[in-house]
C-alpha cells in the first residue's frame, strides 16, 4: 500500500512538472521527459495493484523498480559530470586561435534565440579581447528556422557587436554537435596552412552543453578539448536543458560514440 502511494505521488509530481513546461517552446523537451516519467510511475502503480493476482505483474514490478533505480543513478551521474565540467571550464579570458561557436535555435525573425545570443555575446567578448583570433560559426538551417544558424550569428556579431566579418568563418551545413565540430575542423584546416597541432581551438557553447561538447571535440580530433561556457539565459530552462543533455549523453554512450 505504501509503495503504491509513493508511485502515485511520483506520477502526480512528474505530471505537474510536465504540464507547467508545456506552454513555453524552449522547455517542451523537459515537459515530454517529465510526462513520460509520469506515465511510467502511473504504470508501476497499476502493476502493483495487480501483483497479488497476476504473476506477470509481479515480474513487471521487479523490472520497473530496477529500471527506475538505474534511471535515477544514471541521471545523477550524468548531471554530476555536466556540473563538474562547467565548474572546471576554462576562464572567459582563454586565448585561442579559433573559437568554435556552436549553433542553437534561430527565431522566426532571423535573430538568434536567447541561448544562441548568449553564445555570440561570449564569442564577441573573446574576439574583442584577442584581436588576432577568429571564430567559426556553426549551424545549418532547421525546418523551423528562416536562415542558417551560422548566418544568423554572422549578422548578429557584425551588425550588433561590431566584429570584423573577415574574422568570422561560417560553417552552415551541420545539423548536430558532432557535425558542428567535424565540419569546423575541416574549415579551419582549409583556411589555415598550419598543422592542427600548431593552433589552439576552443569551443563556445551553453554551460549545460559544455561537457558533451568537450568530449566530442576530442573525438573530432582536436588536440585539446578546450571549452568556454555561455550562460543559460532563463532559469526556467534549467530543468529542460538538463533533461535533454541526459538523453543526448546517454544516447552517445549506448551507441558507442562517447569517449572521455
Amino acid at each position: 500500500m505504501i509503495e503504491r502511494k509513493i508511485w502515485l505521488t511520483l506520477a502526480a509530481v512528474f505530471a505537474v512538472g510536465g504540464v507547467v513546461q508545456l506552454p513555453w517552446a524552449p522547455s517542451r523537451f523537459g515537459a515530454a521527459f517529465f510526462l513520460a516519467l509520469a506515465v511510467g510511475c502511473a504504470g508501476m502503480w497499476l502493476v502493483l495493484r495487480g501483483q497479488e493476482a497476476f504473476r506477470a505483474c509481479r515480474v513487471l514490478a521487479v523490472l520497473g523498480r530496477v529500471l527506475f533505480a538505474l534511471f535515477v543513478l544514471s541521471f545523477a551521474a550524468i548531471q554530476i559530470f555536466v556540473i563538474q565540467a562547467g565548474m572546471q571550464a576554462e576562464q572567459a579570458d582563454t586565448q585561442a586561435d579559433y573559437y568554435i561557436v556552436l549553433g542553437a535555435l534561430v527565431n522566426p525573425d532571423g535573430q538568434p534565440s536567447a541561448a544562441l545570443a548568449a553564445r555570440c555575446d561570449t564569442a564577441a567578448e573573446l574576439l574583442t579581447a584577442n584581436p588576432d583570433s577568429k571564430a567559426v560559426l556553426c549551424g545549418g538551417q532547421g525546418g523551423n528556422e528562416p536562415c542558417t544558424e551560422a548566418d544568423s550569428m554572422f549578422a548578429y556579431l557584425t551588425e550588433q557587436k561590431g566584429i570584423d566579418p573577415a574574422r568570422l568563418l561560417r560553417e552552415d551545413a551541420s545539423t548536430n554537435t558532432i557535425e558542428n565540430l567535424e565540419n569546423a575542423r575541416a574549415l579551419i584546416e582549409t583556411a589555415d596552412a598550419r598543422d592542427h597541432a600548431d593552433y589552439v581551438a576552443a569551443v563556445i557553447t551553453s554551460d549545460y552543453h559544455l561537457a558533451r561538447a568537450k568530449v566530442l571535440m576530442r573525438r573530432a580530433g582536436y588536440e585539446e578539448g578546450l571549452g568556454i561556457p555561455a550562460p543559460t539565459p532563463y532559469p526556467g530552462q534549467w530543468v529542460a536543458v538538463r533533461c535533454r543533455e541526459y538523453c543526448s549523453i546517454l544516447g552517445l554512450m549506448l551507441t558507442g560514440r562517447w569517449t572521455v
Side-chain angles (χ1 to χ4, degrees):
M1 178 67 72
I2 294 177
E3 186 180 0
R4 291 209 302 269
K5 288 182 178 179
I6 291 173
W7 286 110
L8 192 59
T9 301
L10 286 173
V13 170
F14 286 134
V16 171
V19 169
V20 298
Q21 295 185 75
L22 276 175
W24 193 37
S27 67
R28 283 180 188 152
F29 185 95
F33 189 91
F34 271 55
L35 291 174
L37 288 174
V39 170
C41 291
M44 274 296 294
W45 174 75
L46 289 172
V47 165
L48 289 172
R49 289 190 63 186
Q51 68 177 348
E52 294 181 2
F54 303 102
R55 183 176 182 276
C57 287
R58 292 194 292 273
V59 173
L60 288 173
V62 173
L63 180 62
R65 294 185 191 104
V66 171
L67 290 176
F68 190 78
L70 289 174
F71 159 71
V72 171
L73 291 173
S74 62
F75 189 87
I78 287 175
Q79 295 310 316
I80 289 171
F81 175 71
V82 169
I83 292 170
Q84 284 182 334
M87 293 174 63
Q88 297 170 356
E90 281 67 37
Q91 298 299 313
D93 60 354
T94 296
Q95 294 185 359
D97 298 300
Y98 294 93
Y99 296 105
I100 302 170
V101 190
L102 301 187
L105 182 68
V106 174
N107 290 328
D109 61 358
Q111 290 294 312
S113 61
L116 187 56
R119 299 178 188 186
C120 290
D121 291 342
T122 301
E125 291 176 7
L126 287 161
L127 289 169
T128 301
N130 300 283
D132 294 329
S133 301
K134 294 184 178 181
V136 184
L137 312 177
C138 298
Q141 182 175 1
N144 60 341
E145 295 176 320
C147 62
T148 68
E149 294 163 10
D151 285 344
S152 177
M153 287 190 280
F154 182 88
Y156 181 86
L157 287 169
T158 55
E159 296 171 9
Q160 299 187 40
K161 295 297 178 179
I163 302 299
D164 183 355
R167 301 176 65 194
L168 304 175
L169 305 175
R170 279 179 278 190
E171 184 288 296
D172 57 6
S174 56
T175 59
N176 56 53
T177 303
I178 293 175
E179 291 180 0
N180 285 166
L181 295 168
E182 291 178 346
N183 292 350
R185 183 184 175 192
L187 195 60
I188 292 171
E189 290 177 349
T190 299
D192 198 314
R194 291 176 293 178
D195 184 84
H196 65 85
D198 295 329
Y199 63 78
V200 176
V203 66
I204 297 174
T205 189
S206 301
D207 47 13
Y208 64 84
H209 184 230
L210 192 64
R212 179 158 56 103
K214 290 176 70 173
V215 168
L216 293 177
M217 273 194 85
R218 292 190 287 270
R219 183 182 183 276
Y222 293 88
E223 290 298 310
E224 297 182 74
L226 297 180
I228 301 164
T232 300
Y234 303 117
Q237 278 189 298
W238 195 92
V239 173
V241 295
R242 278 157 178 77
C243 289
R244 186 172 62 194
E245 276 305 290
Y246 167 75
C247 293
S248 297
I249 290 175
L250 191 63
L252 290 172
M253 290 177 174
L254 293 176
T255 55
R257 295 177 294 167
W258 183 264
T259 55
V260 180

